[in-house]
Amino acid sequence: MLDMGFINDIRKIVAKLPVRRQTLFFSATMPKDIAELAEAMLRDPARVAVTPVASTVERITQRIIQVDFSAKSGVLAQLLKQEPVDRALIFTRTKHGADKVVKTLEKAGISANAIHGNKSQNHRERVLAAFRAGEIRTLVATDIAARGIDVDGISHVVNFDLPNVPETYVHRIGRTARAGAEGIAISLIAGAEEMGYLRDIERLIRITLPREDRRTPGTRDAAPATSQRPAQHRGGRSAPRAHTARSQDSRGHDSRGHESRGSD
């Protein structure tokens, strides 16, 4: 929301509101910048949090494919041709990376479009409408641009770049397996850095995800020790989180809250 330039619009709207008002502030996640925004706009807000994001939907089949850096694009194109894709949502870490993936897929004969912060609002809305209608089957997005995407029928979520925040992984793959449907989440991993991200994700969701190694034999590292699990996993269980509470005006304040309610 902030990175895409909406903060100025928000400030203009708030400036026109009455001084005495009741405000409800909702956010799917509560990073530091959003928490600071809430604190600036609310007075002594009561915070309410749903279950911490530490579990994945049981109907999502998750798997990891280890690849060489140079082979990521080729493996992605191969997957999109082999998998029974209805709609595929592909995540990259950067805007440039999203555009590069689109160009690579188009060279492989796969039609794709990208949405990210450098695209105009009209372009993003037009592409999303086409994706929702099924006119576009492959959408490449960054995490910021993908926030708020609510499209049923996404059969596949592919992490071209693994996120460095474990909770972001859960949010990403949650775009599939909606409305009782099945879903598939595939992550392409290259290098030690992304393997570290994977370990953090597995620690959060309490699942050791099944892996397929497609790296060139000479580049394969020793696999980290993991506990033995079944060959394929769906979903996961929530990891317990500690919650702290503070009281200012007889209302509970949860330091991990995602909904704020207050009066200004």
Side-chain angles (χ1 to χ4, degrees):
M1 181 174 67
L2 301 183
D3 291 349
M4 293 179 72
F6 290 117
I7 183 60
N8 291 329
D9 295 322
I10 292 173
R11 286 175 176 152
K12 288 179 182 177
I13 292 171
V14 171
K16 295 181 180 297
L17 295 175
V19 174
R20 293 184 61 83
R21 64 181 184 268
Q22 184 179 59
T23 304
L24 300 180
F25 187 102
F26 296 89
S27 182
T29 59
M30 191 62 75
K32 183 174 180 290
D33 289 343
I34 297 297
E36 290 176 352
L37 180 64
E39 290 294 332
M41 295 183 175
L42 306 176
R43 188 181 69 220
D44 296 332
R47 299 187 178 185
V48 179
V50 297
T51 303
V53 181
S55 61
T56 52
V57 178
E58 292 287 342
R59 296 184 304 276
I60 302 176
T61 300
Q62 305 170 64
R63 71 179 192 265
I64 304 298
I65 301 178
Q66 292 177 261
V67 298
D68 299 328
F69 280 110
S70 59
K72 266 195 177 185
S73 296
V75 171
L76 174 62
Q78 186 180 36
L79 285 172
L80 294 176
K81 290 179 178 179
Q82 294 177 344
E83 292 281 328
V85 175
D86 184 7
R87 291 182 185 86
L89 180 57
I90 301 165
F91 284 97
T92 62
R93 190 172 297 121
T94 66
K95 304 166 190 175
H96 173 72
D99 289 334
K100 187 175 180 180
V101 167
V102 167
K103 291 178 181 178
T104 302
L105 291 178
E106 288 179 341
K107 287 181 180 179
I110 299 172
S111 178
N113 283 265
I115 58 171
H116 52 66
N118 285 351
K119 304 289 186 179
S120 70
Q121 181 69 16
N122 286 338
H123 171 86
R124 292 195 298 267
E125 290 178 355
R126 187 169 58 252
V127 169
L128 279 176
F131 186 59
R132 188 174 290 109
E135 299 168 6
I136 295 174
R137 294 180 58 200
T138 304
L139 181 64
V140 185
T142 58
D143 290 304
I144 297 296
R147 288 178 182 174
I149 289 181
D150 186 13
V151 179
D152 292 333
I154 296 178
S155 59
H156 290 67
V157 170
V158 180
N159 290 305
F160 186 83
D161 297 316
L162 206 62
N164 59 354
V165 177
E167 288 83 359
T168 300
Y169 172 85
V170 179
H171 282 297
R172 283 183 178 184
I173 72 172
R175 298 320 203 291
T176 187
R178 292 190 171 186
E182 302 281 319
I184 295 174
I186 302 171
S187 299
L188 305 180
I189 295 181
E193 184 176 39
E194 287 194 317
M195 282 301 297
Y197 299 158
L198 174 61
R199 285 191 289 271
D200 291 340
I201 290 167
E202 291 178 330
R203 189 177 300 116
L204 174 71
I205 65 176
R206 293 187 171 184
I207 291 177
T208 300
L209 299 174
R211 304 176 191 179
E212 177 186 352
D213 197 338
R214 296 192 187 182
R215 292 174 295 175
T216 304
T219 65
R220 295 182 180 182
D221 303 320
T226 58
S227 58
Q228 295 297 317
R229 298 291 181 95
Q232 195 171 43
H233 293 271
R234 292 173 180 263
R237 295 182 300 174
S238 298
R241 293 284 189 89
H243 288 270
T244 60
R246 55 190 174 91
S247 176
Q248 292 183 354
D249 53 1
S250 76
R251 294 179 298 181
H253 293 255
D254 186 342
S255 62
R256 301 187 62 84
H258 287 178
E259 173 188 339
S260 297
R261 178 180 180 182
S263 300
D264 291 353

